[in-house]
Structures are given as C-alpha cells and as structure tokens.
Amino acid sequence: MTKFPHDQFAKEYLQELLSPLGEVETSKDVTAEVREIDVWFQPTSFETEYVQSLGLLGKMAATVAVIEPFRNPVNTEGIFSCVVKLLNSRAKLGRQTNREDQRLEERLLPRLWILTPTASELLLDSFGFRDPEVSEGWGKGVYFLTEVWRVGLIAIHQLPRVPETMWLRMLGRGRVQEQAIAELSALPVDNPLRTNALELLYILQANLQANTPPIPAGDDEDQELVMAIAPLFQQHLEAAQQKGREQGQEEGQRMILESLLQVRFGESDPLTLAFIPLISALPVAEFTVLLVQLSNLPAGQNEHQEVQNLLAQTVLQKFFIKSGKLEQLPVNLISNLLALSPDNLPSLLADLPQLSIEELTARLAQSLT
C-alpha cells in the first residue's frame, strides 16, 4: 500500500515524462534539515519534437528545475518550504563550484516550479507573483516572482483546456484531472507516452483502492477518480485480450506484465525476467490479482528484490499450494530459489510443473552446493 498515492503518482508521472530530456531524481535530499525535493530535473538533451509534444511541461524542461507538485492547494507555508529547498539547492551548487574553483553559471541555477491545483489572488498578491508578458508565451495560469528569484507557480485549474496543457492538467483535481484523463485516452493507441501514463494511472487506481482505511465515503473526489480510471483499465485489458486472441493469451499478458515492470521498476534484471514465461501463463483472474499486488509495491530501481519475492511466491503457490501438493511453502524455499544464478534459474522454472516438492528441494540443494 502507498500511503500517499497522489504524491507518488505525481513524482513517477513527471519522472516518466521528463526522463527522455535529462536526468530526473525524485525525493532528492538537500542540506539543512534534510528536506526532500519532490522532483529534480537537469536537462541533458533537447529533442525538439518530444519537447513540443509535452507542451507547457516541455517549456518548463528548458532549464534545471526543482518541481514541487501539490495535491491540495498550496498555502503560505508550503511556498516558503519550496523556496527554502530552492535556496539550499543553489547554495549546494555554489559550494561545489567553489571547491572546483569555478564560476557558478546562470544556466546551472535551478528554477523552482510550484504546481498547485488552485491559487487564490490573495495568496498570489501576498508573494508578489505576476502574470508574465504575453510575448513570453506562458499563457494563463502561470505566474512568476521577479526574475532574480527564479520561482514559477502554475495554478493548474486556470490552465486553458488545450493539448499543450494536458500533461500538467493530469496533476489537477476533480473535473480538471478527469478531463485531462479523457484527452489522454483519446490519443493514438500507439503513442508511447499515452501507454506509460495510463500504466501509472492504473497504479494510482490500485493504490487508492488498496489504501487502508478505505477511501472515506465522503471523499467523493477520489471515488470519482477511481471511476474515471476504471473504464480505461477495462479497455486496456480488452485490448490485451484481443491481442491475446491474435497472438496467444500468454503473449498479451506478457506485454502487460513487461510494461508494468518497466514503468514502475525500470529495466528488469535476469532473475526477474526468468519468471515472466510462467507468470504470463497464469489464468486471467490470477494474473490480474498479481498486477494489483505489483502496483502496491514501492516503485523504483531498488525494489527488484521485492518484485522477485512476489513473483517467486506466486509461481510456487500455483504449482504446490493451489495444486494441492502442499498446505504451505517450506521455510527458505523462496530465498533458496532466488539464490540460484541467472543461468540455473530458467531451466529449473521450466521443469517446475513436473517436479514434486522433494525433487525441487533436491535440485535446489544440488545447485546451491
């Protein structure tokens, strides 16, 4: 279960969209009281076509950026906290260039972007946020402090409903977010950004449904968001099933599994890949349950061990618990299985349907000695 599913979605979503353009870190520590920057972005490439496809978000990606998305409207203390993170980041860069006896170039200075669903005129006026000149091309809903601060604020609900703002409106609330989801689903099905963003929305849906305690009855907004995502998930499964009818059900489920693993955990290692053939052959109901379980694991490149444990448990339960051979798995069976080398694990998994528990234990003992 993810305690703050909307926050996790925002970080992973921005990371997915911005990673083709540069280096992206989420939950990045800065000095002082160990404050975490939600998203740190440093451009390393400028692919014109891709930048244009991101619209307003692509324009933001022209410089080093500290991006702080808020699920609820930002308040005064929230803005101060973001500015402190910006200043700490700038001070850290200054110390680094001093150690290297270099001059801190302006192009290396980060710009702070505060993403908030709404912002009152009173709040904006109290900090001195201004509308940019029309000639600057930022449009409605984008505000700046004086240039020396390098601070921008985007009031998402004020953004015009045009394709250029869709990727940012996905981080809004209520009808604004639901409209953006509808626009996303209308993109061509072969659009890779559409596919990846939908995968993250499915994970958000699963996290909202899996939260304990459940979504409160009075929290209609999250309930409506779950309902808005659900038809997209159903369409995705139906498309996979259609592809399964054309290419084989296992191939369709393999594509879904590989896509989820890639989006949520990055490139799969050899041990994880070894389980994919058996997992792809699961019945649809069991496969869907596994997808939800995977979506509830913490995301990131460092979570492969958790993924492997879940995949190993699922496979062993299928062949030994659900088949009636065992009532429970022996202690250390999963850890011993995952201790095999990437060369030995695939062959053992291929033989698994024909093995008894005694034969499996003997094979593991022989391979690990």
Side-chain angles (χ1 to χ4, degrees), residues 184-192 194-195:
L184 173 70
S185 65
L187 293 177
V189 294
D190 59 350
N191 185 316
R194 175 188 186 274
T195 300

Side-chain angles (χ1 to χ4, degrees), residues 163-196:
E164 290 75 18
T165 67
M166 181 194 71
W167 300 108
L168 286 173
R169 286 185 286 114
M170 286 279 293
L171 298 176
R173 295 190 62 155
R175 295 287 180 262
V176 171
Q177 187 177 37
E178 291 172 19
Q179 176 63 38
I181 291 173
E183 294 172 28
L184 173 70
S185 65
L187 293 177
V189 294
D190 59 350
N191 185 316
L193 283 180
R194 175 188 186 274
T195 300
N196 293 343

Side-chain angles (χ1 to χ4, degrees), residues 171-247:
L171 298 176
R173 295 190 62 155
R175 295 287 180 262
V176 171
Q177 187 177 37
E178 291 172 19
Q179 176 63 38
I181 291 173
E183 294 172 28
L184 173 70
S185 65
L187 293 177
V189 294
D190 59 350
N191 185 316
L193 283 180
R194 175 188 186 274
T195 300
N196 293 343
L198 285 176
E199 292 287 356
L200 292 173
L201 282 170
Y202 304 151
I203 293 169
L204 172 62
Q205 179 200 35
N207 283 333
L208 288 174
Q209 292 177 314
N211 261 354
T212 304
I215 301 172
D219 194 348
D220 294 334
E221 189 172 290
D222 275 353
Q223 295 282 10
E224 291 174 359
L225 178 57
V226 167
M227 293 175 64
I229 298 173
L232 304 179
F233 194 23
Q234 183 62 36
Q235 292 170 14
H236 189 63
L237 288 177
E238 289 173 356
Q241 289 168 358
Q242 175 62 32
K243 191 175 290 294
R245 287 189 287 270
E246 297 170 356
Q247 303 179 351

Side-chain angles (χ1 to χ4, degrees), residues 26 42 84 101 171 175 179 189 204 225 267 313 348 350:
T26 59
Q42 185 162 352
V84 169
D101 197 23
L171 298 176
R175 295 287 180 262
Q179 176 63 38
V189 294
L204 172 62
L225 178 57
E267 292 295 331
Q313 180 183 18
L348 179 60

Side-chain angles (χ1 to χ4, degrees), residues 39-297:
V39 178
W40 170 272
F41 172 73
Q42 185 162 352
T44 57
S45 65
F46 191 83
E47 301 177 17
T48 304
E49 185 176 350
Y50 184 79
V51 170
Q52 290 176 346
S53 71
L54 293 183
L56 181 56
L57 180 60
K59 189 171 183 179
M60 291 166 52
T63 64
V64 180
V66 172
I67 306 177
E68 295 288 321
F70 285 81
R71 175 62 179 174
N72 296 314
V74 69
N75 57 23
T76 300
E77 291 305 315
I79 293 177
F80 278 130
S81 177
C82 291
V83 171
V84 169
K85 295 179 187 181
L86 175 70
L87 296 178
N88 284 338
S89 300
R90 180 165 177 156
K92 183 177 180 180
L93 288 171
R95 291 191 296 271
Q96 180 180 338
T97 54
N98 286 337
R99 286 195 301 269
E100 298 171 356
D101 197 23
Q102 296 179 351
R103 178 177 174 272
L104 181 58
E105 300 181 32
E106 184 175 356
R107 65 179 181 84
L108 299 178
L109 295 175
R111 179 179 292 277
L112 168 64
W113 288 101
I114 300 170
L115 309 182
T116 176
T118 61
S120 67
E121 289 188 15
L122 179 62
L123 178 71
L124 296 173
D125 290 343
S126 67
F127 279 93
F129 279 103
R130 62 174 179 84
D131 294 307
E133 297 292 334
V134 175
S135 60
E136 296 179 43
W138 288 103
K140 183 181 178 182
V142 183
Y143 302 90
F144 293 98
L145 296 181
T146 56
E147 183 55 32
V148 69
W149 283 101
R150 301 181 69 84
V151 174
L153 181 147
I154 296 181
I156 295 174
H157 284 42
Q158 296 181 22
L159 295 176
R161 190 183 295 180
V162 293
E164 290 75 18
T165 67
M166 181 194 71
W167 300 108
L168 286 173
R169 286 185 286 114
M170 286 279 293
L171 298 176
R173 295 190 62 155
R175 295 287 180 262
V176 171
Q177 187 177 37
E178 291 172 19
Q179 176 63 38
I181 291 173
E183 294 172 28
L184 173 70
S185 65
L187 293 177
V189 294
D190 59 350
N191 185 316
L193 283 180
R194 175 188 186 274
T195 300
N196 293 343
L198 285 176
E199 292 287 356
L200 292 173
L201 282 170
Y202 304 151
I203 293 169
L204 172 62
Q205 179 200 35
N207 283 333
L208 288 174
Q209 292 177 314
N211 261 354
T212 304
I215 301 172
D219 194 348
D220 294 334
E221 189 172 290
D222 275 353
Q223 295 282 10
E224 291 174 359
L225 178 57
V226 167
M227 293 175 64
I229 298 173
L232 304 179
F233 194 23
Q234 183 62 36
Q235 292 170 14
H236 189 63
L237 288 177
E238 289 173 356
Q241 289 168 358
Q242 175 62 32
K243 191 175 290 294
R245 287 189 287 270
E246 297 170 356
Q247 303 179 351
Q249 179 177 310
E250 291 186 22
E251 181 62 24
Q253 293 191 163
R254 176 193 290 267
M255 292 177 63
I256 293 178
L257 178 61
E258 290 178 343
S259 178
L260 174 62
L261 292 175
Q262 170 69 29
V263 169
R264 191 155 180 81
F265 306 104
E267 292 295 331
S268 295
D269 59 277
L271 288 182
T272 301
L273 293 174
F275 286 98
I276 288 181
L278 287 178
I279 295 295
S280 301
L282 290 173
V284 173
E286 295 179 23
F287 181 74
T288 303
V289 170
L290 176 65
L291 292 184
V292 174
Q293 291 174 324
L294 285 170
S295 72
N296 288 330
L297 293 179

